Amino acid sequence: MKLSGDWVIATSLGLGLFIIYLSAPVYYGSDAEYAVPQIVSILQHGDQNLDEYAHLYKKQYQILKINGHYYDAFPFGTVYLGLVPALFLQLIYDPNYISLHREEFALIIAGILMALASSIFYRLGRLNHLSLPKSLLLALIAGLGTSILSTGSRALWQQSGIMLMYTLILYCYEYYRKTERPIWIGFISLLLGFSFAVRPLSAILIVCLGIQLFLTHWKKPRTLLMLVLPGLIVIGALVVQSYTLFGNWLHPYYLMDRPGHDNITGALAANLFSPARGLFFWHPILLYSFVWMIRSPAHGTHSSIYGTLLIVCFLHLLAVSAFKHWWGGHSMGPRLTSDLVPLLLYSLIPAIREINHWKRPAFTLSFILLAFLGIAMHLRAVFVPEVGKWNLGPPDVDRAPNRIWKDSPPILSGDRTFRTLLKMPVPPKPE
């Protein structure tokens, strides 16, 4: 089979990013600690219980006991995505070996998923008629300058799975927009349904994008059938599985009481701009995405998707900020809002199209500088262990969430040169 030049470039880009992901030593994965054991259980026994880890029940918060069996306390969707590369890995490695080195294989599998997501962004750029260099810029920002690197590639989190799913949904949306073939609506529906198995908050995108597509195609019965049926089949399968395993219509994680708090405005500000968890602090380049979303109604054709994505971003930020533990515990950067990264990257495409060092030198210079700043931060997060250790204190961020504003930025933990330039306390030299 002959591959087009774009596919060769996308594949090479994905492989190159995967090598970088493998080279990064830092692992962040407390919530995702038992994703790989589930994969091994599926490969060895055809089930995904964690009965082999029964001795850790009540010692590890990630393990639930239901109907005499032990299960992961977090949704299963990312595990199913990781099962695909694991099927190939087991041709080389014994499942017991994979289980023994579960942190390392979590990084390997997560790296594969995130390299795939980044290479898809190259293709999204080309589908939107960006030049080859600008499409590469988009993909490199995605793969090296966002939470795709610092969160998604560091463990098999919910966020790893949902960032890949949202990227695939946008990819299918672009193909539908260009071909108007209902089959692509069917793929979108399928992916939206599966997204719910990955992360409950995907319900926001499911509803908002579903409404947009319904209002656009309500006079086309065949298209509406493709919009509804595949997603319902996937969610129906999820309900059947949950009832079989847990005796309830959804995984216990979806049915948990999530306590709120009375400072949503402060949490929202921190999730957007704080040095520890701020979405735009860690992704300054995505400020251009937000600007484009606001401007989109003035640009006519294809603007409705940007309005939809803006609503999704707002509702997601509100939902996360209303949660009592809005900072996401011992995680790196804006983990709880990293779901939004693919949506914002997609909205960055029109801004990249406007880069022109002759006609818009100030915009081009600011864009490149912000892109490099994001890349530097996220690379440092995965190559410098002190950045992640900031969460553990002293004091531990879970006991003192006010550190998210008041302490020095975690991204400068272990640094000497930038701290000197900024007249900040410098750590002692390592012995």
Side-chain angles (χ1 to χ4, degrees):
M1 182 178 72
K2 185 177 180 180
L3 292 174
S4 70
D6 272 344
W7 281 106
V8 171
I9 292 171
T11 302
S12 302
L13 177 71
L15 290 172
L17 289 171
F18 178 59
I19 292 171
I20 294 173
Y21 298 163
L22 288 187
S23 303
V26 173
Y27 168 81
Y28 307 120
S30 55
D31 287 359
E33 192 71 31
Y34 291 92
V36 170
Q38 284 183 80
I39 290 172
V40 171
S41 187
I42 294 171
L43 294 176
Q44 284 190 317
H45 311 298
D47 61 53
Q48 60 188 95
N49 64 54
L50 298 172
D51 290 354
E52 303 91 327
Y53 297 87
H55 60 288
L56 296 177
Y57 177 58
K58 293 187 177 180
K59 298 178 182 178
Q60 298 284 312
Y61 71 92
Q62 304 95 331
I63 298 177
L64 299 176
K65 183 179 181 181
I66 302 174
N67 297 331
H69 292 285
Y70 300 83
Y71 298 96
D72 194 336
F74 295 91
F76 295 157
T78 302
V79 170
Y80 299 147
L81 291 173
L83 188 62
V84 178
L87 288 171
F88 292 95
L89 288 169
Q90 75 160 346
L91 299 176
I92 305 172
Y93 304 99
D94 181 84
N96 290 322
Y97 181 81
I98 294 174
S99 184
L100 181 64
H101 298 278
R102 64 177 187 258
E103 288 188 6
E104 291 77 12
F105 277 97
L107 291 173
I108 292 166
I109 296 171
I112 293 171
L113 299 182
M114 294 301 93
L116 174 60
S118 301
S119 63
I120 291 172
F121 269 103
Y122 170 79
R123 290 288 302 146
L124 274 170
R126 299 298 280 160
L127 286 172
N128 277 274
H129 307 295
L130 291 185
S131 65
L132 190 151
K134 289 183 178 181
S135 296
L136 280 173
L137 175 63
L138 173 65
L140 289 174
I141 290 172
L144 297 177
T146 72
S147 294
I148 286 176
L149 170 62
S150 61
T151 291
S153 76
R154 296 302 89 199
L156 284 171
W157 307 92
Q158 294 177 61
Q159 286 76 21
S160 309
I162 208 63
M163 285 193 280
L164 176 59
M165 295 306 299
Y166 284 3
T167 303
L168 289 169
I169 288 166
L170 292 169
Y171 185 67
C172 292
Y173 179 86
E174 276 301 305
Y175 263 104
Y176 175 72
R177 190 171 69 86
K178 294 186 179 304
T179 65
E180 295 189 354
R181 294 176 59 190
I183 186 65
W184 290 107
I185 291 288
F187 287 140
I188 292 171
S189 176
L190 193 72
L191 293 169
L192 286 172
F194 188 78
S195 293
F196 191 64
V198 175
R199 182 146 166 78
L201 275 177
S202 65
I204 296 172
L205 181 68
I206 292 169
V207 172
C208 292
L209 185 57
I211 290 173
Q212 180 200 321
L213 293 173
F214 176 82
L215 293 177
T216 305
H217 304 294
W218 68 275
K219 292 183 179 180
K220 302 175 182 177
R222 184 183 174 194
T223 303
L224 286 182
L225 183 64
M226 295 301 290
L227 174 62
V228 173
L229 188 58
L232 281 180
I233 291 173
V234 174
I235 291 177
L238 174 65
V239 169
V240 169
Q241 181 206 41
S242 299
Y243 194 81
T244 302
L245 295 179
F246 312 122
N248 215 324
W249 66 289
L250 282 176
H251 187 289
Y253 182 87
Y254 294 71
L255 304 174
M256 287 172 54
D257 289 330
R258 286 176 170 77
H261 63 107
D262 57 3
N263 188 21
I264 297 175
T265 303
L268 182 61
N271 277 323
L272 286 172
F273 300 111
S274 72
R277 296 292 183 262
L279 179 66
F280 291 130
F281 181 93
W282 283 81
H283 304 90
I285 193 66
L286 297 184
L287 285 166
Y288 284 119
S289 305
F290 182 71
V291 170
W292 185 266
M293 285 176 170
I294 296 295
R295 293 172 55 197
S296 63
H299 291 266
T301 306
H302 188 40
S303 65
S304 60
I305 185 65
Y306 298 114
T308 298
L309 298 184
L310 179 60
I311 293 170
V312 172
C313 290
F314 172 75
L315 293 176
H316 182 97
L317 284 161
L318 196 61
V320 168
S321 300
F323 177 43
K324 182 178 180 180
H325 302 290
W326 52 264
W327 59 91
H330 298 149
S331 54
M332 177 48 53
R335 179 171 68 92
L336 296 188
T337 56
S338 61
D339 312 42
L340 306 180
V341 166
L343 311 184
L344 291 164
L345 283 169
Y346 178 79
S347 303
L348 193 65
I349 291 173
I352 293 178
R353 187 178 290 116
E354 293 184 6
I355 292 175
N356 187 310
H357 64 281
W358 295 114
K359 295 181 179 180
R360 304 179 187 87
F363 167 76
T364 301
L365 177 62
S366 65
F367 190 99
I368 298 301
L369 286 176
L370 290 178
F372 272 114
L373 177 60
I375 288 171
M377 286 195 292
H378 289 275
L379 281 174
R380 194 166 199 279
V382 299
F383 280 98
V384 180
E386 285 81 3
V387 176
K389 291 177 182 176
W390 178 94
N391 291 282
L392 304 177
D396 187 310
V397 71
D398 266 354
R399 293 187 175 90
N402 59 324
R403 288 186 64 214
I404 286 169
W405 278 115
K406 294 183 179 180
D407 265 20
S408 61
I411 199 63
L412 292 181
S413 296
D415 170 74
R416 297 179 58 81
T417 52
F418 282 103
R419 283 177 170 271
T420 300
L421 288 171
L422 297 170
K423 294 186 177 182
M424 297 173 65
V426 177
K429 293 180 181 179
E431 297 182 2

mmCIF file of all heavy atoms in Angstrom, residues 328-367:
data_model
loop_
_atom_site.group_PDB
_atom_site.id
_atom_site.type_symbol
_atom_site.label_atom_id
_atom_site.label_comp_id
_atom_site.label_asym_id
_atom_site.label_seq_id
_atom_site.Cartn_x
_atom_site.Cartn_y
_atom_site.Cartn_z
ATOM 1 N N GLY A 328 -7.213 18.851 42.085
ATOM 2 C CA GLY A 328 -6.836 17.568 41.500
ATOM 3 C C GLY A 328 -5.769 16.797 42.240
ATOM 4 O O GLY A 328 -5.136 15.913 41.667
ATOM 5 N N GLY A 329 -5.556 17.112 43.516
ATOM 6 C CA GLY A 329 -4.623 16.316 44.314
ATOM 7 C C GLY A 329 -3.195 16.395 43.829
ATOM 8 O O GLY A 329 -2.722 17.428 43.362
ATOM 9 N N HIS A 330 -2.501 15.272 43.913
ATOM 10 C CA HIS A 330 -1.082 15.208 43.563
ATOM 11 C C HIS A 330 -0.922 15.002 42.062
ATOM 12 O O HIS A 330 -0.503 13.945 41.598
ATOM 13 C CB HIS A 330 -0.396 14.071 44.327
ATOM 14 C CG HIS A 330 -0.446 14.259 45.809
ATOM 15 N ND1 HIS A 330 -0.498 13.219 46.697
ATOM 16 C CD2 HIS A 330 -0.479 15.389 46.560
ATOM 17 C CE1 HIS A 330 -0.545 13.690 47.935
ATOM 18 N NE2 HIS A 330 -0.540 15.000 47.874
ATOM 19 N N SER A 331 -1.256 16.007 41.304
ATOM 20 C CA SER A 331 -1.172 15.903 39.850
ATOM 21 C C SER A 331 -0.309 17.028 39.300
ATOM 22 O O SER A 331 -0.003 17.989 40.012
ATOM 23 C CB SER A 331 -2.569 15.932 39.231
ATOM 24 O OG SER A 331 -3.274 17.072 39.658
ATOM 25 N N MET A 332 0.068 16.890 38.053
ATOM 26 C CA MET A 332 0.954 17.863 37.447
ATOM 27 C C MET A 332 0.166 18.892 36.635
ATOM 28 O O MET A 332 -0.528 18.527 35.683
ATOM 29 C CB MET A 332 1.973 17.143 36.543
ATOM 30 C CG MET A 332 2.906 18.059 35.791
ATOM 31 S SD MET A 332 3.649 19.340 36.825
ATOM 32 C CE MET A 332 4.334 18.366 38.142
ATOM 33 N N GLY A 333 0.292 20.150 37.005
ATOM 34 C CA GLY A 333 -0.353 21.196 36.236
ATOM 35 C C GLY A 333 -1.873 21.066 36.247
ATOM 36 O O GLY A 333 -2.470 20.545 37.188
ATOM 37 N N PRO A 334 -2.526 21.514 35.178
ATOM 38 C CA PRO A 334 -4.000 21.562 35.138
ATOM 39 C C PRO A 334 -4.615 20.237 34.705
ATOM 40 O O PRO A 334 -5.306 20.154 33.693
ATOM 41 C CB PRO A 334 -4.265 22.662 34.104
ATOM 42 C CG PRO A 334 -3.114 22.549 33.157
ATOM 43 C CD PRO A 334 -1.924 22.149 33.986
ATOM 44 N N ARG A 335 -4.405 19.175 35.498
ATOM 45 C CA ARG A 335 -4.874 17.848 35.070
ATOM 46 C C ARG A 335 -6.387 17.808 34.894
ATOM 47 O O ARG A 335 -6.893 17.248 33.914
ATOM 48 C CB ARG A 335 -4.445 16.777 36.070
ATOM 49 C CG ARG A 335 -4.931 15.375 35.692
ATOM 50 C CD ARG A 335 -4.324 14.314 36.575
ATOM 51 N NE ARG A 335 -4.779 14.372 37.939
ATOM 52 C CZ ARG A 335 -5.827 13.698 38.432
ATOM 53 N NH1 ARG A 335 -6.551 12.936 37.632
ATOM 54 N NH2 ARG A 335 -6.161 13.798 39.703
ATOM 55 N N LEU A 336 -7.125 18.388 35.830
ATOM 56 C CA LEU A 336 -8.581 18.277 35.764
ATOM 57 C C LEU A 336 -9.190 19.081 34.620
ATOM 58 O O LEU A 336 -10.343 18.864 34.254
ATOM 59 C CB LEU A 336 -9.212 18.694 37.094
ATOM 60 C CG LEU A 336 -8.877 17.819 38.302
ATOM 61 C CD1 LEU A 336 -9.714 18.225 39.507
ATOM 62 C CD2 LEU A 336 -9.067 16.333 38.007
ATOM 63 N N THR A 337 -8.434 20.006 34.064
ATOM 64 C CA THR A 337 -8.930 20.761 32.904
ATOM 65 C C THR A 337 -8.187 20.396 31.624
ATOM 66 O O THR A 337 -8.426 21.005 30.581
ATOM 67 C CB THR A 337 -8.828 22.278 33.148
ATOM 68 O OG1 THR A 337 -7.474 22.622 33.472
ATOM 69 C CG2 THR A 337 -9.730 22.703 34.291
ATOM 70 N N SER A 338 -7.302 19.403 31.691
ATOM 71 C CA SER A 338 -6.548 19.023 30.487
ATOM 72 C C SER A 338 -7.442 18.397 29.417
ATOM 73 O O SER A 338 -7.056 18.343 28.248
ATOM 74 C CB SER A 338 -5.405 18.068 30.844
ATOM 75 O OG SER A 338 -5.913 16.880 31.416
ATOM 76 N N ASP A 339 -8.649 17.951 29.802
ATOM 77 C CA ASP A 339 -9.613 17.459 28.803
ATOM 78 C C ASP A 339 -9.826 18.484 27.697
ATOM 79 O O ASP A 339 -10.096 18.123 26.540
ATOM 80 C CB ASP A 339 -10.988 17.205 29.446
ATOM 81 C CG ASP A 339 -10.950 16.423 30.731
ATOM 82 O OD1 ASP A 339 -10.059 16.687 31.555
ATOM 83 O OD2 ASP A 339 -11.830 15.569 30.935
ATOM 84 N N LEU A 340 -9.739 19.765 28.072
ATOM 85 C CA LEU A 340 -10.062 20.847 27.139
ATOM 86 C C LEU A 340 -8.946 21.128 26.140
ATOM 87 O O LEU A 340 -9.161 21.863 25.173
ATOM 88 C CB LEU A 340 -10.387 22.126 27.915
ATOM 89 C CG LEU A 340 -11.485 22.001 28.979
ATOM 90 C CD1 LEU A 340 -11.708 23.337 29.664
ATOM 91 C CD2 LEU A 340 -12.781 21.485 28.364
ATOM 92 N N VAL A 341 -7.766 20.579 26.360
ATOM 93 C CA VAL A 341 -6.620 20.886 25.498
ATOM 94 C C VAL A 341 -6.889 20.580 24.023
ATOM 95 O O VAL A 341 -6.623 21.418 23.150
ATOM 96 C CB VAL A 341 -5.353 20.170 26.009
ATOM 97 C CG1 VAL A 341 -4.239 20.190 24.966
ATOM 98 C CG2 VAL A 341 -4.869 20.841 27.299
ATOM 99 N N PRO A 342 -7.430 19.400 23.662
ATOM 100 C CA PRO A 342 -7.702 19.164 22.235
ATOM 101 C C PRO A 342 -8.692 20.158 21.639
ATOM 102 O O PRO A 342 -8.542 20.572 20.480
ATOM 103 C CB PRO A 342 -8.272 17.733 22.208
ATOM 104 C CG PRO A 342 -7.754 17.102 23.445
ATOM 105 C CD PRO A 342 -7.712 18.204 24.464
ATOM 106 N N LEU A 343 -9.709 20.549 22.416
ATOM 107 C CA LEU A 343 -10.702 21.499 21.911
ATOM 108 C C LEU A 343 -10.062 22.859 21.663
ATOM 109 O O LEU A 343 -10.353 23.529 20.657
ATOM 110 C CB LEU A 343 -11.850 21.640 22.914
ATOM 111 C CG LEU A 343 -12.466 20.341 23.452
ATOM 112 C CD1 LEU A 343 -13.658 20.664 24.351
ATOM 113 C CD2 LEU A 343 -12.882 19.410 22.325
ATOM 114 N N LEU A 344 -9.179 23.273 22.552
ATOM 115 C CA LEU A 344 -8.512 24.553 22.402
ATOM 116 C C LEU A 344 -7.454 24.510 21.302
ATOM 117 O O LEU A 344 -7.250 25.494 20.587
ATOM 118 C CB LEU A 344 -7.898 24.975 23.736
ATOM 119 C CG LEU A 344 -8.929 25.340 24.818
ATOM 120 C CD1 LEU A 344 -8.282 25.374 26.197
ATOM 121 C CD2 LEU A 344 -9.595 26.673 24.510
ATOM 122 N N LEU A 345 -6.780 23.385 21.160
ATOM 123 C CA LEU A 345 -5.814 23.247 20.062
ATOM 124 C C LEU A 345 -6.510 23.327 18.712
ATOM 125 O O LEU A 345 -6.000 23.945 17.771
ATOM 126 C CB LEU A 345 -5.065 21.914 20.187
ATOM 127 C CG LEU A 345 -3.958 21.850 21.232
ATOM 128 C CD1 LEU A 345 -3.501 20.405 21.419
ATOM 129 C CD2 LEU A 345 -2.771 22.723 20.843
ATOM 130 N N TYR A 346 -7.667 22.696 18.613
ATOM 131 C CA TYR A 346 -8.433 22.769 17.373
ATOM 132 C C TYR A 346 -8.815 24.217 17.071
ATOM 133 O O TYR A 346 -8.764 24.667 15.920
ATOM 134 C CB TYR A 346 -9.691 21.913 17.521
ATOM 135 C CG TYR A 346 -10.612 21.931 16.325
ATOM 136 C CD1 TYR A 346 -10.335 21.170 15.198
ATOM 137 C CD2 TYR A 346 -11.767 22.693 16.331
ATOM 138 C CE1 TYR A 346 -11.188 21.169 14.111
ATOM 139 C CE2 TYR A 346 -12.629 22.706 15.255
ATOM 140 C CZ TYR A 346 -12.333 21.937 14.142
ATOM 141 O OH TYR A 346 -13.173 21.951 13.057
ATOM 142 N N SER A 347 -9.170 24.965 18.125
ATOM 143 C CA SER A 347 -9.539 26.368 17.946
ATOM 144 C C SER A 347 -8.324 27.262 17.694
ATOM 145 O O SER A 347 -8.479 28.444 17.367
ATOM 146 C CB SER A 347 -10.289 26.865 19.184
ATOM 147 O OG SER A 347 -11.433 26.066 19.431
ATOM 148 N N LEU A 348 -7.136 26.689 17.852
ATOM 149 C CA LEU A 348 -5.902 27.442 17.573
ATOM 150 C C LEU A 348 -5.572 27.464 16.077
ATOM 151 O O LEU A 348 -4.769 28.290 15.632
ATOM 152 C CB LEU A 348 -4.746 26.809 18.359
ATOM 153 C CG LEU A 348 -3.438 27.581 18.482
ATOM 154 C CD1 LEU A 348 -3.636 28.857 19.278
ATOM 155 C CD2 LEU A 348 -2.380 26.700 19.157
ATOM 156 N N ILE A 349 -6.179 26.563 15.326
ATOM 157 C CA ILE A 349 -5.851 26.445 13.895
ATOM 158 C C ILE A 349 -6.045 27.760 13.148
ATOM 159 O O ILE A 349 -5.162 28.173 12.373
ATOM 160 C CB ILE A 349 -6.665 25.295 13.259
ATOM 161 C CG1 ILE A 349 -6.174 23.947 13.805
ATOM 162 C CG2 ILE A 349 -6.559 25.328 11.732
ATOM 163 C CD1 ILE A 349 -7.006 22.749 13.371
ATOM 164 N N PRO A 350 -7.162 28.494 13.334
ATOM 165 C CA PRO A 350 -7.303 29.772 12.625
ATOM 166 C C PRO A 350 -6.217 30.782 12.998
ATOM 167 O O PRO A 350 -5.789 31.580 12.155
ATOM 168 C CB PRO A 350 -8.690 30.270 13.040
ATOM 169 C CG PRO A 350 -9.417 29.042 13.471
ATOM 170 C CD PRO A 350 -8.388 28.158 14.086
ATOM 171 N N ALA A 351 -5.776 30.755 14.257
ATOM 172 C CA ALA A 351 -4.706 31.670 14.672
ATOM 173 C C ALA A 351 -3.398 31.315 13.978
ATOM 174 O O ALA A 351 -2.657 32.202 13.522
ATOM 175 C CB ALA A 351 -4.541 31.631 16.191
ATOM 176 N N ILE A 352 -3.100 30.015 13.868
ATOM 177 C CA ILE A 352 -1.875 29.588 13.179
ATOM 178 C C ILE A 352 -1.932 29.988 11.708
ATOM 179 O O ILE A 352 -0.916 30.372 11.109
ATOM 180 C CB ILE A 352 -1.683 28.061 13.332
ATOM 181 C CG1 ILE A 352 -1.387 27.721 14.795
ATOM 182 C CG2 ILE A 352 -0.566 27.557 12.436
ATOM 183 C CD1 ILE A 352 -1.221 26.253 15.063
ATOM 184 N N ARG A 353 -3.117 29.945 11.142
ATOM 185 C CA ARG A 353 -3.265 30.332 9.740
ATOM 186 C C ARG A 353 -2.848 31.789 9.522
ATOM 187 O O ARG A 353 -2.374 32.159 8.451
ATOM 188 C CB ARG A 353 -4.714 30.114 9.289
ATOM 189 C CG ARG A 353 -4.928 30.319 7.796
ATOM 190 C CD ARG A 353 -6.372 30.044 7.404
ATOM 191 N NE ARG A 353 -6.687 28.628 7.505
ATOM 192 C CZ ARG A 353 -7.574 28.107 8.337
ATOM 193 N NH1 ARG A 353 -8.251 28.894 9.159
ATOM 194 N NH2 ARG A 353 -7.810 26.808 8.364
ATOM 195 N N GLU A 354 -3.012 32.616 10.549
ATOM 196 C CA GLU A 354 -2.712 34.040 10.416
ATOM 197 C C GLU A 354 -1.239 34.382 10.638
ATOM 198 O O GLU A 354 -0.846 35.543 10.501
ATOM 199 C CB GLU A 354 -3.578 34.840 11.399
ATOM 200 C CG GLU A 354 -5.065 34.789 11.061
ATOM 201 C CD GLU A 354 -5.902 35.673 11.977
ATOM 202 O OE1 GLU A 354 -5.300 36.405 12.792
ATOM 203 O OE2 GLU A 354 -7.134 35.617 11.874
ATOM 204 N N ILE A 355 -0.419 33.389 11.008
ATOM 205 C CA ILE A 355 1.006 33.662 11.206
ATOM 206 C C ILE A 355 1.639 34.092 9.886
ATOM 207 O O ILE A 355 1.545 33.403 8.868
ATOM 208 C CB ILE A 355 1.725 32.407 11.749
ATOM 209 C CG1 ILE A 355 1.265 32.107 13.180
ATOM 210 C CG2 ILE A 355 3.237 32.588 11.708
ATOM 211 C CD1 ILE A 355 1.842 30.827 13.741
ATOM 212 N N ASN A 356 2.262 35.245 9.906
ATOM 213 C CA ASN A 356 2.954 35.772 8.720
ATOM 214 C C ASN A 356 3.974 36.800 9.207
ATOM 215 O O ASN A 356 3.605 37.869 9.685
ATOM 216 C CB ASN A 356 1.965 36.410 7.748
ATOM 217 C CG ASN A 356 2.614 36.808 6.440
ATOM 218 O OD1 ASN A 356 3.658 37.466 6.430
ATOM 219 N ND2 ASN A 356 2.003 36.414 5.331
ATOM 220 N N HIS A 357 5.259 36.442 9.098
ATOM 221 C CA HIS A 357 6.273 37.307 9.695
ATOM 222 C C HIS A 357 6.460 38.614 8.934
ATOM 223 O O HIS A 357 7.094 39.542 9.433
ATOM 224 C CB HIS A 357 7.612 36.573 9.810
ATOM 225 C CG HIS A 357 8.226 36.182 8.504
ATOM 226 N ND1 HIS A 357 7.799 35.083 7.793
ATOM 227 C CD2 HIS A 357 9.222 36.756 7.789
ATOM 228 C CE1 HIS A 357 8.519 34.976 6.690
ATOM 229 N NE2 HIS A 357 9.379 35.974 6.655
ATOM 230 N N TRP A 358 5.889 38.702 7.719
ATOM 231 C CA TRP A 358 5.973 39.962 6.975
ATOM 232 C C TRP A 358 4.782 40.866 7.274
ATOM 233 O O TRP A 358 4.935 42.054 7.552
ATOM 234 C CB TRP A 358 6.030 39.688 5.466
ATOM 235 C CG TRP A 358 7.266 38.965 5.022
ATOM 236 C CD1 TRP A 358 7.338 37.704 4.509
ATOM 237 C CD2 TRP A 358 8.614 39.443 5.066
ATOM 238 N NE1 TRP A 358 8.632 37.356 4.233
ATOM 239 C CE2 TRP A 358 9.440 38.416 4.562
ATOM 240 C CE3 TRP A 358 9.207 40.639 5.491
ATOM 241 C CZ2 TRP A 358 10.818 38.549 4.468
ATOM 242 C CZ3 TRP A 358 10.578 40.775 5.392
ATOM 243 C CH2 TRP A 358 11.369 39.742 4.888
ATOM 244 N N LYS A 359 3.572 40.291 7.232
ATOM 245 C CA LYS A 359 2.354 41.094 7.419
ATOM 246 C C LYS A 359 1.993 41.299 8.878
ATOM 247 O O LYS A 359 1.392 42.321 9.238
ATOM 248 C CB LYS A 359 1.179 40.441 6.683
ATOM 249 C CG LYS A 359 1.347 40.400 5.170
ATOM 250 C CD LYS A 359 0.124 39.752 4.522
ATOM 251 C CE LYS A 359 0.247 39.714 3.005
ATOM 252 N NZ LYS A 359 -0.937 39.078 2.368
ATOM 253 N N ARG A 360 2.312 40.336 9.744
ATOM 254 C CA ARG A 360 1.926 40.410 11.153
ATOM 255 C C ARG A 360 3.123 40.052 12.033
ATOM 256 O O ARG A 360 3.107 39.038 12.748
ATOM 257 C CB ARG A 360 0.757 39.472 11.440
ATOM 258 C CG ARG A 360 -0.474 39.720 10.573
ATOM 259 C CD ARG A 360 -1.587 38.728 10.891
ATOM 260 N NE ARG A 360 -2.683 38.858 9.960
ATOM 261 C CZ ARG A 360 -2.748 38.219 8.788
ATOM 262 N NH1 ARG A 360 -1.778 37.395 8.412
ATOM 263 N NH2 ARG A 360 -3.790 38.398 7.978
ATOM 264 N N PRO A 361 4.168 40.836 12.011
ATOM 265 C CA PRO A 361 5.391 40.474 12.749
ATOM 266 C C PRO A 361 5.180 40.394 14.263
ATOM 267 O O PRO A 361 5.704 39.478 14.916
ATOM 268 C CB PRO A 361 6.372 41.585 12.379
ATOM 269 C CG PRO A 361 5.521 42.728 11.914
ATOM 270 C CD PRO A 361 4.321 42.099 11.282
ATOM 271 N N ALA A 362 4.412 41.326 14.842
ATOM 272 C CA ALA A 362 4.212 41.323 16.298
ATOM 273 C C ALA A 362 3.427 40.086 16.730
ATOM 274 O O ALA A 362 3.794 39.404 17.705
ATOM 275 C CB ALA A 362 3.493 42.591 16.734
ATOM 276 N N PHE A 363 2.352 39.787 16.000
ATOM 277 C CA PHE A 363 1.556 38.597 16.316
ATOM 278 C C PHE A 363 2.396 37.334 16.161
ATOM 279 O O PHE A 363 2.381 36.451 17.021
ATOM 280 C CB PHE A 363 0.337 38.533 15.395
ATOM 281 C CG PHE A 363 -0.376 37.211 15.431
ATOM 282 C CD1 PHE A 363 -1.182 36.876 16.502
ATOM 283 C CD2 PHE A 363 -0.213 36.290 14.395
ATOM 284 C CE1 PHE A 363 -1.832 35.650 16.548
ATOM 285 C CE2 PHE A 363 -0.856 35.061 14.440
ATOM 286 C CZ PHE A 363 -1.672 34.736 15.517
ATOM 287 N N THR A 364 3.133 37.241 15.071
ATOM 288 C CA THR A 364 3.952 36.045 14.815
ATOM 289 C C THR A 364 4.994 35.858 15.906
ATOM 290 O O THR A 364 5.186 34.740 16.412
ATOM 291 C CB THR A 364 4.629 36.154 13.445
ATOM 292 O OG1 THR A 364 3.619 36.285 12.434
ATOM 293 C CG2 THR A 364 5.481 34.930 13.152
ATOM 294 N N LEU A 365 5.669 36.942 16.297
ATOM 295 C CA LEU A 365 6.693 36.842 17.337
ATOM 296 C C LEU A 365 6.075 36.411 18.661
ATOM 297 O O LEU A 365 6.601 35.514 19.337
ATOM 298 C CB LEU A 365 7.390 38.195 17.502
ATOM 299 C CG LEU A 365 8.457 38.270 18.609
ATOM 300 C CD1 LEU A 365 9.591 37.289 18.321
ATOM 301 C CD2 LEU A 365 8.991 39.694 18.748
ATOM 302 N N SER A 366 4.949 37.017 19.048
ATOM 303 C CA SER A 366 4.317 36.650 20.320
ATOM 304 C C SER A 366 3.849 35.198 20.292
ATOM 305 O O SER A 366 3.969 34.483 21.290
ATOM 306 C CB SER A 366 3.152 37.589 20.614
ATOM 307 O OG SER A 366 2.107 37.439 19.656
ATOM 308 N N PHE A 367 3.311 34.770 19.162
ATOM 309 C CA PHE A 367 2.829 33.393 19.037
ATOM 310 C C PHE A 367 3.985 32.406 19.235
ATOM 311 O O PHE A 367 3.877 31.445 20.005
ATOM 312 C CB PHE A 367 2.178 33.184 17.668
ATOM 313 C CG PHE A 367 1.439 31.884 17.538
ATOM 314 C CD1 PHE A 367 0.063 31.838 17.695
ATOM 315 C CD2 PHE A 367 2.113 30.694 17.274
ATOM 316 C CE1 PHE A 367 -0.628 30.638 17.596
ATOM 317 C CE2 PHE A 367 1.431 29.494 17.167
ATOM 318 C CZ PHE A 367 0.058 29.471 17.325
#
